[in-house]
Amino acid sequence: MHPAFSIIVFTTLSGLGYGLAAVLGLGLLDASTLSVKLAHIGALAMIAAGLLASTLHLGNPQRAWRALSQWRSSWLSREGVMAIASFVPLTVTAWFAIVEGRHLAVAGLAGTLMCGATVYCTAMIYGSLRSIQAWNTGLTPLCYLLFAAAGGFLLASVAGYSSGSRGPVCAAIAILFVVAAWICKQKWWTRLRTLAPFSTPESATGLGHIGHVRLFERPHVNENYLTREMGFKVARKHALKLSRLAILSGGLAPVLLLLVAILAGGSAAVPAAVLAVFCYALGLVVERWLFFAEARHAVMTYYEG
Amino acid sequence: MKSEPHVALSEPVSDEVRKTTCYMCACRCGIDVHLKDGKVRYIEGNRDHPVNRGVLCAKGSAGIMQHYAPARLRAPLLRTGPRGSGEFKEISWDDALELATGWLDGVRHADPKKLAFFTGRDQSQSLTGFWAQQFGTPNYAAHGGFCSVNMAAAGIMTIGGAFWEFGAPDWDRTKLFVMFGVAEDHDSNPLKIGISKLKKRGARFVSVNPVRTGYSAVADNWIGIRPGTDGLLILAVIHELLKARKIDVDYIVRYSNATWLVVDAPGTAEHGLFVRDAEGKPQIFESVTEQVVALGSKGARAALSGRVELPDGRFAVPSFQLLAEKYLDPQYAPEAVAAETGVAADVIRGLAAEIARVAFDEAITIDQPWTDMNGERHEAFVGRPVSFHAMRGLSAHSNGFQTARALHMLQVLIGAVDCPGAFRFEPPYPKPIEAHPTPHGKAEHFGSNKPLSGPHLGFPRGPEDLLIDADGKPMRIDKAFSWDAPISAHGLMHMVIANAHAGDPYPIDLMFLYMANMAWNSSMNTAGVIRMLEDKDPATGAYRIPKIIYSDAYSSEMVAYADLVLPDTTYLERHDCISLLDRPISEPDAVQDAIRWPVVEPDRDVRGFQSVLIDLGARLKLPGFVDSRGKALYADYADYIVRHERRPGIGPLAGFRGSNGDRAGRGAINRNQLDRYIENGSFFSAHIPLEAQFFKHANKAYQDFAVRMGFFDEPKPVTFQLYQESLQKFRLSAEGLREPVAPETHRERILATFDPLPMWYRPFEEAAVSREDYPYHAITQRPAAMYHSWGSMNAWLRQIHTRNPLYVPGPICDEIGLVDGDWVWVISHHGRIKVEVARMEAVNSSTIWTWNAIGKRAGAWALDKDAPEAKKGFLMNHLIHELLPPKGDGMRWSNSDPVTGQAAWYDLRVRIEKAEPAEVSEPHLAAVAQPGGARPHADELRYGQEWAE
Amino acid sequence: MTSLPSLPTPKKLGLVIDLDVCVGCHACVISCKEWNTGGYGAALSDQDPYGADVSGTFLNRIHTFEVVPEGGQVIGEAGEARIVHFPKSCLHCEDAPCVTVCPTGASYKRAEDGIVLVDESKCIGCGLCAWSCAYGAREMDLAAGVMKKCTLCVDRIYNETLKEVDRVPSCVRTCPANARHFGDLGDASSEVSRMVAERGGYDLMPEQGTRPTNKYLPPRPRKPLAASAGSAVLAENTHDAKGFFAWLDGMLDRI
Ligand SMILES: Nc1nc2c(c(=O)[nH]1)N[C@H]1C(S)=C(S)[C@@H](COP(=O)(O)OP(=O)(O)OC[C@H]3O[C@@H](n4cnc5c(=O)[nH]c(N)nc54)[C@H](O)[C@@H]3O)O[C@H]1N2
Ligand SMILES: Nc1nc2c(c(=O)[nH]1)N[C@H]1C(S)=C(S)[C@@H](COP(=O)(O)OP(=O)(O)OC[C@H]3O[C@@H](n4cnc5c(=O)[nH]c(N)nc54)[C@H](O)[C@@H]3O)O[C@H]1N2
Ligand code: SF4
Ligand code: SF4
Ligand code: SF4
Ligand code: SF4
Ligand code: SF4
Ligand SMILES: [Mo]
């Protein structure tokens, strides 16, 4: 699948945003501190930016509102609905935090749940597609949720350390989630890389009873929408290299940096946590890029044989 | 749940439908052109049209994009830069015509043979030929010489008609269909309709073709033959049939020259010729009375074998004896030919067995009494439901004439010509050779300011009809009808530029070309031809080919080489006539012709070429184009179509003649004729009565019908010429036994290839080069969705074939380590090209191939210079030389069939070597400018968006 | 509308494509383009039409496959490689994922006849439906930014301004080899259903669970020519020319 910039930005940013918002909703941090207030604003900004980015790849963004209508069957629609719905508790929580400096438990918790649900919906847009076997697994939403949670706690630890309260708790939880997320992702990758193709040129053409089927001529010589959109291929060896890079940057580095923060504490903690977030975000971008680039669409059985 | 959106289901398609004839290729399907707001909304097949019955191919449907292509020429062009630069200025028609008239008139006055007028795949050869004849140059022909004259000449000389557009398999009845070397063919929609029909009926379809694509892909059996060896395969099938006595004896006795006695007197001038009486009647041996009597003697029972002593003491044998003895020889046994053809002996035997079984065990009858030309009445038509079709796979080889003869012989031997279930003639065919003219162009046939004394093209009956001078030198610029290619019935267009450049046999002043992309895909040795067109005489600084007038409708590669360009309209903007005098659209059971008419008006300063030619004819005051006072006879082509008469009552169109439009074939001029055609869907069809539909070569009712329709003035039955006497006459000349005697240089070649009975020899190029150096065959195929070079300017079609790879058999790929996308050098004795490869398994293991004419010259066809067609597409033509490799004797023979001069495109032998990866195929010629100035084209096309609500 | 209609729809209109006769001519491809570019919805645009990167929107495309039997040989008859031309357009699936994923309701399956359509006025061009279709039957029009797909020529098949015989999809009407057939696959007695039953018509990618309406007819089995080589037809009757001419004499007596 073509790793569209807008979609990578969208899933990464909104994942981080929802993660942070969800953690904030738990009320672990002191809502009266400036850094937590800023964290609330940051979460909303990331969510909004992500959502805006997602409209960039639309052919007719002016009609985007229509995407809210089909929540009965469409994960994309559900995601839209949830995204908008979650704004209610999130802004309420943020409002109270920023203006009144306190945490509103009911709204906060509702926000946390809805953030989770939104991330789940996002993941299910991909996870529900049978045509893309790599994505079509329960591991996909699990990864998305774990990455969001890890991101949330990472960001929260920055806020925690800078506000001087609960930094280490957040960092410790973040480490747990980071580790869990990458274990889950590793499983996802193992699955992807050992997958027996669900659809083959033989099943795609129904000609398997005659022999081995191989594409001889494409319908049209040049690339078309389908091959551009779904025919993206990344060489296996590059994929392996990149996935290691993702783990290093998005897993190992944040964990080490958070350990430094926890152990060193003091003035080193904030920069370490901030650095951890950046490393994590970079790893996540690589992970998302691979998420698309490595996934093979069933339609390519018709184009590659 | 909400209700479904409203969809407008019953919107009218268009404001108006105009019915005309497609010309995205030469198949000539009927089309319904839907017009909306004065633009073409949609083109679909005309359901009532006899050719396509409603269907349309990809090209036909893409007519919209052709019609609006940016590559269309917009006004007459006068060259301003050097040839090949593409630099022109647009001029007015008055200036263009004045200039052309001046050039033409000068030549006509001084030496008319200094005009070479050659036309491509137009469908107005009866007009262009007539014009050239009135002009008086001997140098006229259309494109058949580089196309498929082998097929046409062999068919006409053997059975009186050819597969090529003048016949068709009996699709509804045939039970076994064997197709040799066809990728698309002219009759492409009818072929597809037919193949589909017979597959539905469960009839067997065998395709003999080195490559298994297109039609071959759906064939029940594919014989992946080695190119150039079909003749051997066919003769092996004949060997098997003779051995098993599976021949239709009654049929060959009645309809062929099998019984005709052949003089057996080696060393004499009559050896191998038919025994004839004083009136020229062939003689047969009457086996009851044991007398030699004239053919057609009442009650005579002609022998098919035996050696007879003639009254004059010489001996003679029925031609069939020669035939049977020849092919029963074990050299034609399946085992003996398996290695050369690459076809397993069992497959050959299986093919022969199926042919025999279906022809004889599954014979069909149509209970319709009929009378033959001898007055004998038959109760029914007996059909041998085996049909054949062949095209350039046989034709485009230097042994193609004899191979095609072999195939026709096979048809005759099993009684499968024009009977139910077999190949059937389409009127005005069959025609015996006597109904064709002999060629004109000898010195006494032309002169200053006078017409040629007869038609240019025809069939020499023997060496005496050659167009040569006293020294045996060719009279024509293309050397047609000379010792080089004695029966070159369609001329040798592929030799014109090379010969004119060399001044051999003489230089010319003016080359006038129409609708042939000679600077690109219709020439062999393309880069060489381009150099010839650009070459100047160092002494004078003038071009060696001094003046070139060219008519094209689009900015093709050739346009850049013209001095004066006459821009034609598109096919939707002009009148055309698909005439019985030329290449009509008849069917086996109907006489048919058709027209085109301007269904949209040109939006540019262009004119239909035929009208321009008629105008030029009048300006030059050519007889036939002006009246006695020198006034133009015709306003334009439409007027000519209606009012021109070849013979009284016979004009370009056969339909709606007579003042009331109720006459068919013969009849007075009808001024409303074109309107009547348009009302009728732009075609005319007259059914042949059932009694006359089969055995047309010998059917009295058909012959009478043909006379009524005006094909002939008296019946002209055909006797199938299994044994070809005229070929033997050339052999006698080559033996020095007959006048004119063949020059020494030509004798060996004629003796080796002019066998009066079909034969096989190795194609010349293969025989000339070493098998080790050039181990593979290289051929091209027509893609269904492209017509030669025309398709690439078409925004829709070009997406299907934006470039062409070289298809290489899997085993060769494995041997030299090639995978898809690798680059190779393809090397022939003449040149090398560098191209991208793709692997293929379903192909003869020694054959590489590509799609024809996808490669384009950068800058042509109004495409961007970096278009894939120009960057990665390529032409095989660069590897093919117009001459064979030199031999010891210093002669360089034309790379053509020795009998007909047919260009031997598919004799090419190559080797391949892995090359460095590249971005551009080689050779890559310098870009040409867009003639008349580049016009920026849109980055995006949204045809029809204005109609979207 | 994103939900699928309650199944099955009373009619299941679709195509039956006969791989035994498709010669890969692309006639249906261009005819489809031509009909639809001035018809239902936005034009089917082409980008860089005369340049290097030409590409356009098509609703129907022909792929060409090579099928090589295990241990296949290239020449000869038994088991050799073959080419199969393979037309593909929307299969109008019964369980159409492209419909259920659509967030706007633009994509829908008609309750009446099962045709899957895009209501372009609602389409936001998110592309998700194209992702969901394993068959590659949907293409985004880059000029209009809306999703295009085979409409089964809904504006022809019910079009009362057309003659009844012409109320078939453009691709079906034009196919020179008669490889495309249109009809109601929900009606077991329809011609298309009978064809499917007789010829063993099948689904593409059944594992995707989409239950396509369109069916493909497999290439018919082939009988090698070599199998006829041993038949009695060619039993050797003559051993030499003499025997042959003796037989000829006998034949001539009978005529
Ligand atoms: N390698 C290889 N070469 C081959 C062949 C092959 O199989 N392999 N095939 C050979 C054969 S059989 C043939 S027939 C030739 C064909 O070769 P050409 O006849 O040269 O082929 P086209 O590309 O059709 O070029 C005809 C010209 O007519 C122009 N034209 C199109 N429509 C009109 C019109 O309405 N009016 C006018 N005035 N001009 C028009 C086109 O723009 C083009 O320039 O190629 C031969 N060359
Ligand atoms: N779509 C389309 N239709 C066309 C044309 C076009 O350009 N495009 N051109 C028109 C013209 S001008 C012509 S002349 C006709 C030609 O019509 P075809 O005869 O169909 O033309 P080719 O593509 O040259 O096909 C020749 C076939 O012969 C095979 N072949 C080559 N060598 C041999 C051999 O030695 N033996 C056998 N058995 N087969 C062999 C090739 O693989 C190829 O399949 O088509 C006409 N129709
Ligand atoms: S075969 Fe195609 S291009 Fe040729 S005349 Fe027919 S519809 Fe037109
Ligand atoms: S083929 Fe694709 S676009 Fe068509 S209905 Fe099925 S899933 Fe949807
Ligand atoms: S592209 Fe259009 S039709 Fe497809 S899912 Fe998005 S909104 Fe629906
Ligand atoms: S049914 Fe209509 S829209 Fe669908 S592929 Fe055929 S022509 Fe195109
Ligand atoms: S028009 Fe018919 S034969 Fe041609 S590609 Fe389409 S389905 Fe196949
Ligand atoms: Mo040709």
Side-chain angles (χ1 to χ4, degrees), chain C residues 101-104 106-107 118 122-129 138 147:
Chain C
V101 299
C102 176
T104 62
S107 214
V118 172
K122 290 198 191 120
C123 176
I124 56 173
C126 67
L128 190 57
C129 52
R138 292 179 166 239
M147 195 53 73

Side-chain angles (χ1 to χ4, degrees), chain B residues 826-841:
Chain B
V826 188
I827 303 160
S828 74
H829 76 89
H830 167 58
R832 41 160 41 196
I833 58 177
K834 187 178 172 179
V835 301
E836 212 174 1
V837 301
R839 182 190 180 97
M840 184 183 198
E841 308 295 339

Side-chain angles (χ1 to χ4, degrees), chain C residues 21-28 62 87 175-177 179-180:
Chain C
V21 293
C22 171
V23 293
C25 67
H26 294 261
C28 51
I62 311 300
C175 174
R180 306 176 73 94

